[in-house]
Amino acid sequence: VNLLVPLPVILPLFAAGLNLMLHRRQRTQRVVSTLTLVAVVALAAVLLVEADRSGPQVAWVGAWPEPLGISLVADRLSALMLLVSATVTLAVMVFSIGQGMTSDTRRTPMSIYHPTFLVLVAGVANAFLAGDLFNLFVSFEVLLFASYVLLTLGGTGARIRAGTIYVVVNMLSSMLFLASVAVVYAATGSLNLAQLAQRLGDLPTPVALVIQLMLLVTFAIKAAIFPLSFWLPDSYPTAPTPVTAVFAGLLTKVGVYAILRTQSLLFPDSPLTDLLLWAALATMIVGILGAVAQSDLKRMLSFTLVSHIGYMVFGIGLATVAGFSGAIFYVVHHITIQTSLFLVIGLVERRAGTSSLLRLGGLARLAPLLGLMFFVPAMNLAGIPPMSGFLGKVGLIDAGLEVGTPLAFTLIAGGVLTSLLTLYAVAKAWNLAFWRTPEQAHEMVMSLRDGARDGRGYGAGDGDGWGVPASTGASPGRDQPADDEEETRDLQELLDVGALPSRLPRSMVGSAGALIGLSLGITLAAGPLYAYTERAATDLKDRDVYIGSVLPGGSS
Amino acid sequence: VTANIALVVVAAASVGGGVYLMLERSLTRVLIGVIMLSNGVNTMILVAGGPAGRAPLSKLVDPDEMSDPLPQALILTAIVITLGTTAFMLAMSHRNWQLNGHDDVQDDAEDRIVRRRAEQDVPSDTYDLNQRGEYTPDDEQAVSVPPHRPTPAGGGPGRTKAGTEEDS
């Protein structure tokens, strides 16, 4: 079974290479990608069962003598994260094939979507399995690189603008990570997480604290924890919808996973509870207030994403078994739910031509199934009982009550408030996009336009809009991409001219529906899942499980 | 651990310069900042490896005289990664120049909306979303809205697909 551990990383990488060679045969590409992801899901499931039954699975890569080489470890936490992330990426892959975005060779020299997506999957898997700090750094870089490419796919003005900020912010955090790797190595002479767990305790407290804070800031940037979260709502919404969906589901969660891993394994004696809890509170409240203020569905969801990261940090900050367990459960819930919501928004965009709440209206009548598909995960996100969002929040609140400090109570209050505000945000979106009639939306847009024409609006802009200024035909041979042109008609107008597809591709609806089904399945299987996360959290608390299986000799 | 002071100074200077350059507007300067920063951090890793010794060739050199090979491997990896990033950022800055005629880092969309609102002294658009004509739309894509052009039924040529993202 140990030989299986590296496969979730190796398989997608190989498939990515294969896909690059196959760039002219799109049908084969699709088959290869889908099969690879199915295989990764199966592998992750095997690893999960194995890790649960017989403890962490360790593989040493590179045939060095044991404590020196690169270790990949699949313990209960890693295996669960791996399984969830693989399932979600599979669904997104099917969705994007249905959307047809993968087959566009007109604008890109070759079809790079499939290879890049697979590299992203490999990076995420490697991050979950990494057993040493430098390998973690490398896997962050792998997945970030793939994400840079996916985010700027097509190279339109808006994506380049958002991508610039994204790349620079992530570069900075990578450099910080590398610097902390240097400090860790200078202080301990090792980078293996298990060895570090043994050695960091011997360091003088200030040195250990510096290391801890450096790592924490690094991962907090990746995980978009306030005040390091501002890059996220700006960059995610501009990407193609499936890309946003997979980013929202996975990339921030990798950061959360890294925080959880380092906090529990490396720094058990200094949980920094106060710091983390305050950060969690600020993340929740600031994030959700941002979401309430948005008038575009994608931006609104990006802000709720930031906000709900706060719940996970809350659990990690408590540093109890119940807290960890609640955080892990919440991560699982949130990966599926956030991804499926973004996929549904993709469907809305496809069906109605826009994701702006100002222009949408009447979708509930126009596409009842779509309405249902938005409603269920949205309510789940807000934490309406009996769905998994509710159970996750209850678990965290329980953990908070158990700790019982005033700060924990503040956090509980903040969590409940955030949940209510989430409900407000999604209900507002529901009312505007689905419930009112398209005529109302049309009227409103018209009145806004009148306002704009009166010169009171942004119409008197300084030309820094999203699109390409008409004067820059600087690139020869580039066919003016239609997607630089923002859709300016509202739903009513689009319906009038019949510019909208009346049917959605079955694979798009199917994959989004499958993810929603999965999130409901989490609700049904919440008992066993909670038992599992409880066991995983106990492993995290009792570090000897991890250390003992990586370093069986107990060498220091 | 004995540390080489010269290397420490070099690392500090590169990191400092790198951070300074990263705060610039122009993407090219940011890029140079990233390169300097990564060089500084790589030097830091070298310092972390302890004093220099002979080349770490096993069986040819006595292990006690070797310099630590691991930091060098780490640096090598980091250099490769930085190379990739540099190439990508260069491409991005070129594309930015193609599109906009400059390669300045542009402001956050939210930032621009807020600033414009402040200049024009209008309330936030969520203040009351349903109040007719009381204020102006939410973001710039709604703004550059041309006046309503009635299109003959059946739709004009092109523009059949409405979405902005699907076909990229």
Side-chain angles (χ1 to χ4, degrees):
Chain A
V1 179
N2 284 353
L3 290 176
L4 292 183
V5 178
L7 280 182
V9 184
I10 296 172
L11 268 185
L13 279 181
F14 267 118
L18 195 62
N19 266 342
L20 264 183
M21 290 192 289
L22 290 172
H23 66 91
R24 295 195 185 284
R25 300 161 183 244
Q26 283 154 14
R27 197 171 297 249
T28 329
Q29 264 195 340
R30 288 175 206 166
V31 173
V32 169
S33 315
T34 315
L35 283 183
T36 312
L37 291 176
V38 169
V40 173
V41 172
L43 278 169
V46 172
L47 282 177
L48 180 92
V49 171
E50 218 33 58
D52 195 31
R53 210 167 41 198
S54 46
Q57 304 294 314
V58 185
W60 293 90
V61 186
W64 292 90
E66 285 225 333
L68 291 180
I70 298 167
S71 61
L72 294 174
V73 188
D75 66 347
R76 287 192 173 116
L77 172 63
S78 305
L80 180 64
M81 300 293 288
L82 200 60
L83 179 61
V84 177
S85 65
T87 316
V88 165
T89 44
L90 176 62
V92 173
M93 182 46 103
V94 174
F95 183 91
S96 51
I97 288 174
Q99 195 176 26
M101 67 172 294
T102 58
S103 56
D104 184 30
T105 48
R106 195 161 45 91
R107 260 170 232 141
T108 42
M110 59 168 97
S111 183
I112 50 169
Y113 179 80
H114 282 271
T116 324
F117 193 89
L118 288 169
V119 170
L120 181 80
V121 174
V124 171
N126 197 26
F128 289 145
L129 293 173
D132 72 80
L133 218 48
F134 197 74
N135 199 9
L136 190 62
F137 167 75
V138 171
S139 46
F140 269 133
E141 288 306 310
V142 170
L143 70 91
L144 282 177
F145 247 93
S147 74
Y148 299 159
V149 175
L150 288 173
L151 192 74
T152 52
L153 216 58
T156 61
R159 286 186 194 155
I160 291 290
R161 184 195 63 77
T164 312
I165 296 166
Y166 181 76
V167 172
V168 172
V169 167
N170 277 303
M171 266 318 283
L172 191 65
S173 90
S174 299
M175 286 305 144
L176 195 59
F177 197 176
L178 204 53
S180 36
V181 165
V183 174
V184 168
Y185 190 73
T188 63
S190 171
L191 290 172
N192 187 300
L193 286 177
Q195 277 182 320
L196 287 180
Q198 292 170 330
R199 294 184 193 177
L200 277 173
D202 304 335
L203 289 182
T205 324
V207 178
L209 191 64
V210 165
I211 294 173
Q212 185 181 12
L213 287 177
M214 283 176 86
L215 289 175
L216 203 57
V217 171
T218 305
F219 300 143
I221 296 178
K222 314 268 187 217
I225 293 169
F226 182 84
L228 306 167
S229 62
F230 293 109
W231 57 270
L232 190 146
D234 188 47
S235 52
Y236 277 19
T238 52
T241 317
V243 171
T244 314
V246 77
F247 282 14
L250 296 182
L251 296 199
T252 49
K253 308 306 183 299
V254 176
V256 172
Y257 164 83
I259 293 179
L260 182 55
R261 177 67 78 198
T262 48
Q263 284 294 106
S264 65
L265 185 64
L266 302 186
F267 309 101
D269 305 327
S270 129
L272 294 180
T273 303
D274 287 357
L275 179 72
L276 281 175
L277 289 191
W278 281 117
L281 186 66
T283 310
M284 287 196 277
I285 301 291
V286 174
I288 202 63
L289 289 179
V292 168
Q294 293 306 313
S295 55
D296 182 274
L297 278 172
K298 280 173 152 187
R299 294 186 70 90
M300 193 267 288
L301 282 181
S302 302
F303 273 100
T304 62
L305 166 64
V306 172
S307 159
H308 284 238
I309 296 288
Y311 284 107
M312 302 158 208
V313 180
F314 174 30
I316 298 173
L318 289 175
T320 58
V321 170
F324 284 162
S325 161
I328 300 170
F329 185 88
Y330 206 87
V331 170
V332 172
H333 148 76
H334 199 253
I335 287 179
T336 50
I337 208 69
Q338 196 77 41
T339 310
S340 47
L341 269 172
F342 269 110
L343 291 185
V344 171
I345 301 309
L347 290 173
V348 168
E349 265 191 332
R350 180 89 166 196
R351 186 71 183 81
T354 174
S355 65
S356 163
L357 285 173
L358 290 173
R359 296 194 204 98
L360 287 170
L363 277 176
R365 174 169 299 167
L366 188 67
L369 180 65
L370 199 55
L372 186 70
M373 284 172 68
F374 177 79
F375 191 75
V376 172
M379 289 300 118
N380 197 344
L381 183 73
I384 299 294
M387 286 185 271
S388 55
F390 171 72
L391 298 171
K393 289 180 180 83
V394 166
L396 286 169
I397 289 173
D398 244 9
L401 285 176
E402 203 177 274
V403 171
T405 56
L407 187 54
F409 283 118
T410 317
L411 257 290
I412 292 172
V416 173
L417 181 67
T418 307
S419 168
L420 284 175
L421 285 172
T422 310
L423 183 62
Y424 172 68
V426 294
K428 198 183 92 176
W430 168 260
N431 279 338
L432 290 176
F434 290 87
W435 208 241
R436 66 174 176 178
T437 59
E439 289 80 19
Q440 281 171 321
H442 182 65
E443 266 177 38
M444 196 169 88
V445 171
M446 286 329 291
S447 71
L448 292 178
R449 280 182 196 164
D450 293 343
R453 244 178 302 170
D454 293 344
R456 300 179 53 209
Y458 309 95
D462 43 18
D464 61 344
W466 297 85
V468 186
S471 56
T472 50
S475 57
R478 181 171 64 92
D479 49 345
Q480 185 60 35
D483 51 9
D484 267 9
E485 221 174 293
E486 280 294 336
E487 180 54 62
T488 55
R489 295 175 291 183
D490 60 54
L491 184 58
Q492 177 69 45
E493 289 164 0
L494 290 168
L495 284 175
D496 285 347
V497 300
L500 294 171
S502 62
R503 295 198 73 96
L504 292 164
R506 202 169 294 161
S507 63
M508 286 170 80
V509 178
S511 54
L515 264 190
I516 296 169
L518 180 68
S519 68
L520 293 177
I522 292 177
T523 312
L524 290 179
L529 185 60
Y530 244 119
Y532 182 88
T533 60
E534 196 90 25
R535 290 198 293 279
T538 318
D539 284 358
L540 289 180
K541 258 319 211 192
D542 176 21
R543 305 184 299 151
D544 295 338
V545 180
Y546 188 97
I547 299 172
S549 48
V550 178
L551 306 168
S555 70
S556 182
Chain B
V1 183
T2 52
N4 185 328
I5 288 293
L7 280 183
V8 173
V9 171
V10 167
S14 320
V15 170
V19 169
Y20 180 80
L21 280 171
M22 276 185 102
L23 299 175
E24 291 278 340
R25 267 276 169 176
S26 157
L27 197 54
T28 319
R29 292 187 193 183
V30 172
L31 175 61
I32 297 173
V34 167
I35 296 171
M36 274 186 80
L37 191 61
S38 76
N39 284 346
V41 173
N42 287 342
T43 321
M44 251 176 92
I45 301 181
L46 197 62
V47 176
R54 300 187 56 198
L57 297 171
S58 99
K59 290 177 189 142
L60 293 180
V61 181
D62 179 21
D64 294 334
E65 294 175 13
M66 281 183 192
S67 45
D68 189 346
L70 187 65
Q72 300 180 9
L74 303 187
I75 293 170
L76 193 61
T77 314
I79 288 175
V80 173
I81 290 171
T82 315
L83 177 74
T85 321
T86 310
F88 188 81
M89 284 182 75
L90 269 179
M92 228 168 40
S93 112
H94 177 69
R95 181 71 180 154
N96 216 338
W97 175 78
Q98 263 188 343
L99 291 172
N100 302 322
H102 59 76
D103 73 339
D104 285 0
V105 177
Q106 295 165 55
D107 279 337
D108 185 287
E110 208 75 12
D111 224 33
R112 285 185 283 173
I113 297 165
V114 170
R115 190 179 58 218
R116 208 172 298 172
R117 257 190 217 125
E119 277 168 5
Q120 300 176 350
D121 204 20
V122 286
S124 151
D125 62 73
T126 44
Y127 173 64
D128 186 353
L129 201 55
N130 290 315
Q131 220 163 10
R132 262 191 86 164
E134 267 297 299
Y135 61 92
T136 41
D138 60 322
D139 51 36
E140 37 235 273
Q141 68 225 70
V143 192
S144 40
V145 179
H148 180 201
R149 289 166 303 193
T151 321
R159 307 206 57 161
T160 44
K161 179 124 43 101
T164 52
E165 318 287 22
E166 279 91 342
D167 48 350
S168 58

